[in-house]
Amino acid sequence: MKKYLPIILTVSLMLGACSSQTATKEKEKEETSSEQKSSVEKEKQKAPEKEQQPEEPEQPYKPLEPTEGAVSLKETLTKESQTQPVQEGQKEQPERKVPFGETLSTEMEDLSDGPLKDHRLVTYYGTPASKHMGILGQLEPEEYIKKLKEQAQVYSDLDPERPAVPTIELITTMAQSAPGPDGDYVQMTSEENIETYVKLAEKHDALVLLDIQLGTDTVMNQVKMVEKWLKHPNVHLAIDTEFHVAQGEKPGEDLGEVDGRDIQEAVEYISDLAEKNNLPDKLVLVHQFTGPVLFNKDAIEPTENVEVAINFDGWGAAADKQALYRRYIRDEPAQYGAFKIFYEKDVPVLTPEEVLKMDPSPAVINYQ
């Protein structure tokens, strides 16, 4: 029996070693499994965080789809007729800086999902407090929105690739010749009126531009005055530069001016407002009818949440208006251009076809 003892001991040691290795492997498996479970648990913990990320807000408007059989103006015009006619003093037809039909200015980009990226806005301007400040004050709300849609439909039919969105441009703070109780030469439209037109837009899948005229007040103070409405998904901002006067001056008597840096402060403020409140991207429309009313213009820049359009809104001879549009919009490009038409003051009133032929094609057309 003794001669087998070494063999038995050897086998026993080998079995012990195998058992130890097996135990070690089992332990390693358990640790690996434990680590994997821990990793899975961590991923599960992360998952709810991802679910909590806000979804992209839905667009609060519906563009007017082209009527059946509508043919794009681009297809009906020859290359030569896709630009404006030669004006007095010009030797030849100017070359386009922006291809016909496009609204984004030269070397500009739009990083937002704002309404101008794929659509055109057609607005009716005014206030229910006055019949002399635009068509909005001349019609009852439902009749007004009906006519606005009819006008916008014309643009959808002429440019089916960029259907138009009916937009209410409501004067929210109207410049006055008297200082008023606050001494700022501005009278604010009643909250009831603002609510009426915001709800009218919601009912008809339209947008709203709240127009501020400033008086002796600041841009930012007036932006904050209308902030609660800017938190509505369908409400945007317009700034009338000509009515911003210095202390001792009167709107309408003295030509006002706005610093582009002040407008940029408002753009960034609204951009933050949209981001923090998970709102659809916004538009800031800046009115300009002559050079002096808007200085430091190059300080105005869009953001990822806010589009910017400069609106030429002078009235008078059509040829002069077209020339000034080229000067202030084409030759001093912001992100988008816009153009204002006065039904009762322009001579003649430009047709939608003539408006769309401008360089760049206006992204916003407003009627007063």
Side-chain angles (χ1 to χ4, degrees):
M1 181 67 181
K2 286 182 180 179
K3 65 181 179 180
Y4 297 109
L5 188 58
I7 297 172
I8 292 170
L9 288 171
T10 302
V11 171
S12 177
L13 289 170
M14 290 173 65
L15 290 170
C18 288
S19 176
S20 176
Q21 289 175 359
T22 301
T24 300
K25 287 179 180 179
E26 289 297 326
K27 187 176 181 181
E28 289 175 351
K29 284 182 181 178
E30 288 176 6
E31 289 176 351
T32 301
S33 177
S34 177
E35 288 175 2
Q36 289 173 341
K37 285 180 181 178
S38 176
S39 177
V40 169
E41 288 301 320
K42 286 180 181 176
E43 288 301 317
K44 285 181 179 178
Q45 289 174 3
K46 288 180 182 178
E49 292 179 10
K50 291 179 181 178
E51 291 172 5
Q52 290 171 5
Q53 292 295 323
E55 295 181 0
E56 286 294 318
E58 291 185 10
Q59 296 296 350
Y61 60 86
K62 290 181 182 176
L64 298 179
E65 295 302 326
T67 54
E68 188 175 353
V71 179
S72 171
L73 181 64
K74 189 176 182 178
E75 295 180 21
T76 62
L77 295 177
T78 63
K79 187 175 179 180
E80 289 73 23
S81 62
Q82 286 180 5
T83 190
Q84 295 174 44
V86 177
Q87 302 294 335
E88 186 177 348
Q90 292 179 329
K91 294 182 179 179
E92 57 185 19
Q93 209 170 41
E95 290 186 10
R96 296 192 69 93
K97 284 193 174 183
V98 177
F100 180 81
E102 293 188 16
T103 56
L104 196 61
S105 294
T106 309
E107 298 181 358
M108 297 289 174
E109 58 183 351
D110 188 345
L111 301 177
S112 77
D113 289 316
L116 300 187
K117 196 161 191 175
D118 299 305
H119 306 99
R120 174 177 282 107
L121 304 191
V122 176
T123 89
Y124 270 1
Y125 178 94
T127 169
S130 173
K131 293 182 178 181
H132 305 292
M133 291 292 290
I135 192 170
L136 186 147
Q138 299 168 7
L139 302 171
E140 290 301 312
E142 286 296 337
E143 185 184 0
Y144 160 86
I145 199 75
K146 180 176 180 289
K147 280 191 169 292
L148 172 57
K149 285 183 174 181
E150 289 171 355
Q151 184 66 81
Q153 186 67 57
V154 174
Y155 286 93
S156 285
D157 291 348
L158 288 171
D159 189 1
E161 294 179 3
R162 189 173 296 278
V165 180
T167 303
I168 297 166
E169 188 166 0
L170 175 67
I171 302 172
T172 313
T173 56
M174 187 163 62
Q176 305 288 303
S177 59
D182 296 328
D184 56 8
Y185 291 87
V186 167
Q187 180 180 349
M188 185 157 179
T189 298
S190 70
E191 293 197 3
E192 181 182 357
N193 276 337
I194 297 173
E195 289 291 342
T196 294
Y197 286 92
V198 169
K199 289 177 180 176
L200 181 69
E202 289 172 349
K203 177 182 175 182
H204 291 274
D205 299 314
L207 293 176
V208 179
L209 275 166
L210 297 183
D211 185 275
I212 54 177
Q213 293 191 346
L214 302 174
T216 58
D217 205 356
T218 66
V219 174
M220 279 308 304
N221 191 47
Q222 294 216 353
V223 167
K224 290 175 182 178
M225 284 168 62
V226 300
E227 181 173 330
K228 72 176 184 178
W229 291 289
L230 289 172
K231 289 181 179 179
H232 285 253
N234 66 333
V235 177
H236 304 260
L237 181 72
I239 302 172
D240 253 325
T241 54
E242 67 190 271
F243 296 107
H244 183 233
V245 295
Q247 293 294 334
E249 297 180 335
K250 292 182 180 181
E253 293 182 15
D254 299 289
L255 183 63
E257 62 180 14
V258 175
D259 189 333
R261 293 171 295 188
D262 294 334
I263 291 174
Q264 185 59 24
E265 185 180 359
V267 168
E268 292 171 7
Y269 186 87
I270 293 170
S271 183
D272 290 340
L273 190 73
E275 188 171 355
K276 289 174 182 175
N277 293 276
N278 196 35
L279 297 168
D281 293 337
K282 298 286 188 180
L283 164 67
V284 172
L285 180 72
V286 184
H287 290 268
Q288 178 186 14
F289 85 93
T290 188
V293 301
L294 182 58
F295 64 100
N296 289 324
K297 186 175 177 180
D298 57 358
I300 307 171
E301 294 184 355
T303 71
E304 291 185 0
N305 303 109
V306 174
E307 296 172 320
V308 171
I310 304 296
N311 184 63
F312 176 72
D313 80 351
W315 56 269
D320 292 341
K321 291 185 63 168
Q322 290 170 318
L324 289 170
Y325 180 86
R326 288 195 295 273
R327 178 176 175 181
Y328 296 126
I329 307 301
R330 186 195 66 178
D331 297 341
E332 299 175 2
Q335 188 183 32
Y336 290 101
F339 188 75
K340 193 170 190 179
I341 293 171
F342 291 77
Y343 282 126
E344 298 176 0
K345 293 184 177 181
D346 287 350
V347 185
V349 173
L350 290 172
T351 66
E353 290 88 348
E354 290 170 324
V355 172
L356 291 181
K357 287 167 66 175
M358 290 180 173
D359 180 15
S361 187
V364 182
I365 299 108
N366 44 15
Y367 287 85
Q368 178 170 337

